[in-house]
Amino acid sequence: LEDNYNLKYFKLTNVKYIFSDYELISENLTLIHEPKNISKLKIKRIRNYSLKDLKNRIFEITKRGDDKKNSFFIYKLKNFIPRVFMMKKCDNIDIDKLNFSEFKTDNIEILKYSPDHLKIAVNNVNNNECLIILNNYSKFWEAKINSKFSNIDIIFETFWKVDLDNSYQNIEFFYNPPYRKYFEKLYNFF
């Protein structure tokens, strides 16, 4: 499987489970459910299902009268990376040399997570640590750390990073696209 797919990238895109019509062979996957009455065909590639495709596939299975649960191999990706984590030395990182065991999550609390507002509390920050959020970067996001504006940097070519210091951190992110103020003016006009 790793010959065709780098599972590190699945981890970085927050993939925790893989549903497959076929048995997959990889030391980075843990089989958590094996379907009944399906011939095992071992393959080295993954068929991509969007959430909509997966729902349609489950609907087809249900319509045929088959048991949904017994129609897929379900795998859990080992070393799943959560959407928000901290790490040391966040500059000049080579994604292919990442050590996922160094990611810290135990001192992070997500207080709010909505499409245009994130609120995160972080305790016990050490020197040279940064907070990484696996959301796609946009220049319209703004960050406040302890009520002071802060820069959001790009890491891993698409995600967010903010640098932290040695204290408790109250971090908020706000999505503020330029068209928002025009819609608000228009709304208030009527």
Side-chain angles (χ1 to χ4, degrees), residues 118-120 122 131 144-145 162 164 169-173:
L118 279 73
K119 190 172 184 177
I120 301 167
V122 180
L131 184 73
K144 284 187 177 182
I145 299 177
V162 291
L164 304 175
Q169 308 285 310
N170 182 14
I171 305 163
E172 288 193 76
F173 297 93

Side-chain angles (χ1 to χ4, degrees), residues 84 86 105-112 118-125 131 146 168-172:
V84 179
M86 288 181 12
T105 59
D106 53 346
N107 53 344
I108 299 171
E109 183 180 2
I110 299 173
L111 304 172
K112 181 176 183 176
L118 279 73
K119 190 172 184 177
I120 301 167
V122 180
N123 292 311
N124 303 324
V125 179
L131 184 73
N146 296 332
Y168 169 81
Q169 308 285 310
N170 182 14
I171 305 163
E172 288 193 76

